[in-house]
Amino acid sequence: MDMRVFDLFKIGVGPSSSHTVGPMLAARRFLLECPELFKVSKVQVALYGSLALTGHGHATDKAVLLGLMGETPQDVIPDTIEDKLTALASSGSMNLLGEYPVKFDMMDDLLWHKQEVLPGHPNGMRFTLTRNDGTSCDQVFYSTGGGFISTEAELLQSASTDNDNTTSSLPFPFGTMAELLAHGQRSGLSIATMLRANEVTHCSDAELDTGVDKIWAVMKGCISRGLQISGELPGGLHVKRRAAKLWRSANESADVLPHDGMHKVSLYAMAVNEENAAGGRVVTAPTNGAAGIIPAVLRYYAEDCKPSNPEVGIRNFLLVASAIGMLCKKNASISGAEIGCQGEVGVACAMAAAGLTAALGGTNEQIESAAEIGIEHHLGMTCDPIGGLVQIPCIERNGMGAVKAITAASLALRSDGTHHVSLDQVIETMRQTGADMQTKYKETSLGGLAVHVITVNHAAC
Ligand code: SF4
């Protein structure tokens, strides 16, 4: 398995990693790989399946346009996005990769195929470019969750090579938790140490630490902004941001309740997901829709657990969390469009539970147990965002996921590490449950809350 910690944790923008970050990356990559852009006379983008069904609410159209203009999720400045799109709408043209002018008609050149799904994944898109000499270039991309993208060929290739550890150059190659635990038993090393050893085959120790510290800094900043900003979220549902108001009242209240600590953890997570819903700067963890859980549990660790060496603990937390995310991505999915919300909030909960257990000194077996508990109690969770927006149930769901992660870590840390269900078994159960789940519950907004809570926005779709 060739995945890195920074594949799981990517700095980007909201509201969705699969529907915003992935499409933006795909649009830009399509152009970078097409020669002779100076001859382009037309560019067309077609969205399929879940991207077409929930793309308006998830800002897929905006993401694709920004990607064609050369923007990246990491570097685009959220406050400048609306101005760029307004300029495109009024001029009817854009500069591909910021350089090559082409006319772009939002009706003719951006197509929504809601009834059609491409064969590789529910989140498919086709890019086509025509040159003024009559030649053309086209490519299909899939956005497979968490900001990962693949062409058709790459998807087939990864399916055929993913289970082959024999050619890996990593010191601790693993494709299952059983393999990772076996490495630990043989070497006597912790999961965090083994992950670090794998990572430093790509970069130095110092570069790894700098990168991981930056991820935490962006997560922390996102919580802080979310705890300060009030108002209404975009998208037409008129959802009010609650984290800042509840945070103020929690801090001003004279009454101290036993569960105040957990209340604050929920607010950290909701603060991040409100920022995400507003199109702000967030880190995929492992997705945008589930981006609040890991930062919330990390802040709980850093502030409430009073660690003696928080810097090391936070790095270990994120390394171990990434190992769980890698296993879920490889052996099931982290895409709500593929397996429902169990693959987003459920996986984030497992990652946070494992990370917290590691940071608090848990054994490898206790880490496995915590991660397994985290997923087990999200099995079957559907993805049914109201109005196709990453707001209801997503924001509160992150608050709940963060609290469950702490409970999972606590149960594991107070046990001797033996447990009945293995992480590999529960990941396979999640995969099969997702395969059996009806399409209407997989990020299509055709079932669940999305149809039982009628909104002006939804009725108009
Ligand atoms: S319901 Fe879950 S999977 Fe679906 S958009 Fe919301 S957070 Fe993502």
Side-chain angles (χ1 to χ4, degrees):
M1 175 167 57
D2 189 19
M3 242 182 275
R4 296 195 55 200
V5 59
F6 302 118
D7 293 326
L8 270 299
F9 299 119
K10 291 190 280 283
I11 298 168
V13 286
S16 168
S17 45
S18 55
H19 289 54
T20 317
V21 174
M24 196 187 301
L25 291 169
R28 184 169 179 273
R29 187 179 144 193
F30 166 67
L31 293 180
L32 288 171
E33 293 175 0
C34 265
E36 302 189 299
L37 289 185
F38 60 91
K39 291 185 182 170
V40 171
S41 57
K42 186 174 177 65
V43 65
Q44 205 170 45
V45 186
L47 304 172
Y48 295 85
S50 175
L51 289 184
L53 284 162
T54 61
H56 283 294
H58 286 50
T60 308
D61 43 356
K62 296 179 182 179
V64 161
L65 298 174
L66 290 165
L68 292 175
M69 290 186 235
E71 298 288 351
T72 63
Q74 171 150 0
D75 292 326
V76 68
I77 300 167
D79 290 345
T80 66
I81 289 176
E82 283 313 318
D83 286 348
K84 289 180 200 294
L85 297 172
T86 305
L88 164 60
S90 59
S91 68
S93 69
M94 67 164 80
N95 289 336
L96 298 178
L97 297 181
E99 264 187 74
Y100 308 101
V102 68
K103 291 212 172 312
F104 194 90
D105 184 315
M106 295 293 281
M107 300 302 284
D108 286 347
D109 297 329
L110 185 56
L111 309 171
W112 304 77
H113 296 292
K114 296 188 179 183
Q115 308 301 332
E116 209 179 324
V117 179
L118 295 180
H121 191 280
N123 295 332
M125 39 205 145
R126 183 186 297 278
F127 295 88
T128 311
L129 170 156
T130 313
R131 302 186 188 88
N132 52 27
D133 59 7
T135 60
S136 63
C137 181
D138 75 286
Q139 182 64 276
V140 167
F141 280 94
Y142 294 106
S143 180
T144 58
F148 287 81
I149 54 168
S150 297
T151 62
E152 198 104 55
E154 288 165 349
L155 214 57
L156 290 172
Q157 166 82 5
S158 72
S160 65
T161 57
D162 250 12
N163 291 325
D164 184 8
N165 280 338
T166 55
T167 56
S168 174
S169 56
L170 300 177
F172 300 104
F174 65 98
T176 62
M177 192 64 182
E179 288 170 354
L180 192 54
L181 289 174
H183 283 311
Q185 275 154 12
R186 274 194 296 274
S187 65
L189 298 175
S190 69
I191 292 176
T193 305
M194 292 188 283
L195 257 284
R196 175 172 287 276
N198 283 353
E199 290 290 326
V200 298
T201 59
H202 296 281
C203 63
S204 68
D205 263 304
E207 285 166 341
L208 176 62
D209 288 340
T210 303
V212 172
D213 293 350
K214 184 166 180 199
I215 294 294
W216 170 227
V218 176
M219 288 177 167
K220 211 168 29 172
C222 189
I223 296 177
S224 300
R225 279 194 311 282
L227 291 178
Q228 285 166 14
I229 303 175
S230 301
E232 198 174 276
L233 292 170
L237 267 188
H238 305 294
V239 173
K240 288 205 169 46
R241 295 177 71 137
R242 284 181 293 165
K245 188 172 174 203
L246 291 173
W247 176 248
R248 270 196 308 280
S249 71
N251 287 314
E252 286 163 7
S253 170
D255 298 330
V256 179
L257 297 169
H259 52 265
D260 278 352
M262 288 302 105
H263 179 57
K264 288 186 176 177
V265 169
S266 301
L267 297 185
Y268 300 154
M270 288 171 62
V272 170
N273 284 81
E274 287 178 356
E275 276 295 282
N276 178 58
R281 174 76 67 229
V282 292
V283 179
T284 61
T287 66
N288 275 29
I293 295 171
I294 288 174
V297 178
L298 258 173
R299 181 157 163 177
Y300 163 80
Y301 165 73
E303 292 188 0
D304 293 347
C305 296
K306 314 237 176 308
S308 55
N309 192 339
E311 206 169 55
V312 170
I314 288 165
R315 290 171 186 161
N316 287 345
F317 185 123
L318 287 171
L319 285 169
V320 169
S322 76
I324 306 303
M326 290 173 199
L327 289 169
C328 293
K329 163 95 179 113
K330 175 186 175 293
N331 296 323
S333 171
I334 56 170
S335 161
E338 205 174 359
I339 64 167
C341 198
Q342 56 176 354
E344 295 207 19
V345 164
V347 170
C349 175
M351 292 168 70
L356 180 61
T357 304
L360 292 176
T363 64
N364 292 350
E365 288 71 23
Q366 287 171 323
I367 290 168
E368 186 207 11
S369 175
E372 186 281 316
I373 295 169
I375 292 183
E376 187 179 313
H377 302 289
H378 286 94
L379 285 175
M381 188 186 271
T382 59
C383 169
D384 54 354
I386 297 179
L389 295 160
V390 194
Q391 298 179 7
I392 304 172
C394 320
I395 295 169
E396 269 178 14
R397 198 166 269 184
N398 275 260
M400 302 298 291
V403 171
K404 279 198 206 177
I406 294 170
T407 304
S410 171
L411 287 171
L413 281 163
R414 284 177 162 79
S415 77
D416 62 5
T418 54
H419 47 281
H420 223 82
V421 182
S422 73
L423 181 63
D424 293 327
Q425 287 170 327
V426 86
I427 291 175
E428 174 56 16
T429 307
M430 176 170 69
R431 187 192 68 75
Q432 287 185 24
T433 306
D436 291 340
M437 197 182 278
Q438 289 184 40
T439 303
K440 66 181 180 180
Y441 297 118
K442 295 194 276 194
E443 210 159 359
T444 56
S445 287
L446 297 173
L449 285 171
V451 296
H452 288 102
V453 181
I454 304 299
T455 65
V456 173
N457 188 54
H458 185 265
C461 286

